[in-house]
Amino acid sequence: MRRRLDDALGWLLLRAAVVLHRVVASREATRRLRQRRNEALRRAHRRGVPVEVLAAETGLTQSWVRYVIRDPEKAAVEEAA
């Protein structure tokens, strides 16, 4: 009986670990993708693409695109929150 309980508890702990791993990895992946997107927006703007076009193509507001271009560190902190 004890072995069955240990086996069941082991599987339950494994499932909990998998769920936690996916949640943490998902947050980190999202953060990295936003950083890459923001860097791409800044590079495109430096190469002459207007803010209006960047906003329209990405679905972001013009004010947010301007904010990302102007102050990337502050924008990253706000997006993370």
Side-chain angles (χ1 to χ4, degrees):
M1 183 71 171
R2 172 106 176 139
R3 182 171 166 93
R4 277 182 159 174
L5 185 59
D6 286 343
D7 286 348
L9 187 56
W11 281 104
L12 182 63
L13 289 170
L14 174 62
R15 292 291 162 213
V18 168
V19 168
L20 287 172
H21 171 72
R22 288 182 180 161
V23 168
V24 171
S26 175
R27 286 182 192 152
E28 185 63 24
T30 302
R31 186 187 62 78
R32 283 193 307 264
L33 286 173
R34 285 181 181 157
Q35 283 179 333
R36 289 183 191 139
R37 178 203 65 198
N38 292 346
E39 182 60 31
L41 287 172
R42 286 190 292 277
R43 288 180 179 182
H45 186 261
R46 282 193 300 256
R47 298 206 188 308
V49 179
V51 170
E52 295 78 18
V53 174
L54 292 171
E57 291 294 319
T58 59
L60 299 170
T61 64
Q62 290 181 17
S63 62
W64 184 254
V65 172
R66 284 188 187 97
Y67 188 58
V68 167
I69 291 169
R70 184 181 56 233
D71 197 353
E73 290 82 23
K74 207 173 200 182
V77 169
E78 284 189 23
E79 274 185 327

